[in-house]
Amino acid sequence: METKADIRKAMLARRNAIAVEDRIEMSLAMADAGEALDFVPGTVISGYMPIRSEPDLRPLMARLRERGARLCLPVVLDAETIAFRDFVREAAQVDTGFGTTGPGEGAEVLDPDIVLLPLSAFDGAGNRLGYGAGHYDRAIARLLARGRKPVLIGTAFSLQQVEHLPAEAHDVPLDFILTEGGLKPFAKPR
Ligand SMILES: Nc1nc2c(c(=O)[nH]1)N(C=O)[C@@H](CNc1ccc(C(=O)N[C@@H](CCC(=O)O)C(=O)O)cc1)CN2
Ligand SMILES: Nc1ncnc2c1ncn2[C@@H]1O[C@H](COP(=O)(O)OP(=O)(O)OP(=O)(O)O)[C@@H](O)[C@H]1O
C-alpha cells in the first residue's frame, strides 16, 4: 500500500515539475476562483506566503482583503506549533521558520474563521496531506478545542489530486478545495 510519505513525495514532484510561468497563471486563476467564496467583511482568513513550488496566494489574498477580509499568516513557534499573526499591509516580514516569512512578534495573534491550507495532495473526499509536520493538524485541533469551527479550504493545483488518501483519526476533512479549476465544496457532515 502507498504510504502518506510516498504519496507526498510523488505529488510534490508533480508540483515541482510545473513551469514557473504556468504556476503564475494557475495562481491567478485561483484568485479568480476565490470570488466564489462567500464571507462577510471582517472575516479573519489565514493565507500563506509561498515556499517551494506552492501556488502563490498573494493575488488571491489581495482580492480577499479588498472584499473586507482581515488576513493573517502562519508562523512557526516551535517544531510542533504554528500561530496565525495579523497580516497588515506593508508591515515588515520576518523569517518565521521552515523557510517561511510572515509578520513579526509585534503582530496580533488571531483565530482564523477561514483557513487556506497548503497541500501536498488531496482526494475527492476532502482528505488532505501537508508536509508531514502536523502543524496544521494541531492548529486546527486547537481551534476546535476552543469551540471554533474554522472553514477549511485546501489550496493546491489540480494535478495534486489522488484517487484516495489514507485518513487517520487526527485528520479533519476539508470543507472546500481551491485549485486553478475552481472552488469546490466537499459534502461533509459536521
Ligand atoms: N507556505 C507555507 N507556509 C507554511 C506552511 C506550508 O506548508 N507552506 N506550513 C505547513 O505546515 C507551516 C510551516 N511548516 C512547514 C513544515 C514543513 C515544511 C517543509 O518544507 N518540510 C519538508 C518537506 C516535506 C517533504 O518533502 O516531504 C522539508 O523541510 O524539506 C515547510 C513548512 C506554516 N507555514
Ligand atoms: N491533533 C494532533 N495532536 C497531536 N499530534 C498530531 C495531531 N495531528 C497530527 N499530529 C501528528 O502530526 C504528525 C503529522 O501528521 P500528518 O502526516 O497527517 O501530517 P500532514 O497532514 O502532512 O501535516 P500538516 O497538518 O502540517 O499539513 C503525525 O505524527 C501526527 O501524529
Side-chain angles (χ1 to χ4, degrees):
M1 202 192 92
E2 267 197 311
T3 64
K4 279 187 170 187
D6 294 332
I7 300 169
R8 180 179 294 119
K9 195 168 167 216
M11 292 306 114
L12 289 180
R14 272 195 189 180
R15 196 185 68 188
N16 289 340
I18 301 171
V20 175
E21 54 275 23
D22 293 339
R23 213 156 70 207
I24 293 167
E25 288 303 324
M26 291 157 95
S27 298
L28 291 171
M30 288 170 75
D32 288 339
E35 293 296 330
L37 182 63
D38 195 29
F39 64 89
V40 295
T43 299
V44 177
I45 304 182
S46 69
Y48 56 87
M49 288 301 197
I51 54 171
R52 301 146 72 89
S53 56
E54 289 176 339
D56 189 338
L57 298 193
R58 283 174 291 188
L60 170 66
M61 289 193 282
R63 303 258 285 265
L64 295 174
R65 178 178 266 143
E66 277 167 18
R67 291 172 59 199
R70 184 170 185 192
L71 298 175
C72 55
L73 292 172
V75 298
V76 179
L77 298 183
D78 60 51
E80 303 198 328
T81 319
I82 56 171
F84 300 96
R85 287 186 186 151
D86 197 6
F87 178 22
V88 176
R89 245 190 103 196
E90 288 172 15
Q93 300 273 305
V94 302
D95 182 349
T96 47
F98 287 84
T100 67
T101 55
E105 279 180 27
E108 194 179 337
V109 174
L110 300 174
D111 279 347
D113 303 303
I114 298 178
V115 180
L116 301 171
L117 294 102
L119 305 184
S120 57
F122 64 98
D123 71 12
N127 298 308
R128 71 166 189 94
L129 214 54
Y131 285 148
H135 278 147
Y136 275 95
D137 283 325
R138 287 194 206 81
I140 292 160
R142 232 180 319 117
L143 290 168
L144 292 173
R146 284 209 295 270
R148 305 253 168 187
K149 293 245 181 335
V151 174
L152 306 180
I153 306 182
T155 57
F157 300 123
S158 55
L159 53 65
Q160 292 169 257
Q161 181 164 0
V162 297
E163 196 63 48
H164 173 73
L165 277 181
E168 297 173 71
H170 64 254
D171 289 321
V172 182
L174 299 170
D175 297 292
F176 294 89
I177 179 74
L178 175 67
T179 68
E180 76 283 6
L183 178 71
K184 299 196 178 81
F186 292 108
K188 179 181 173 186
R190 294 198 98 180

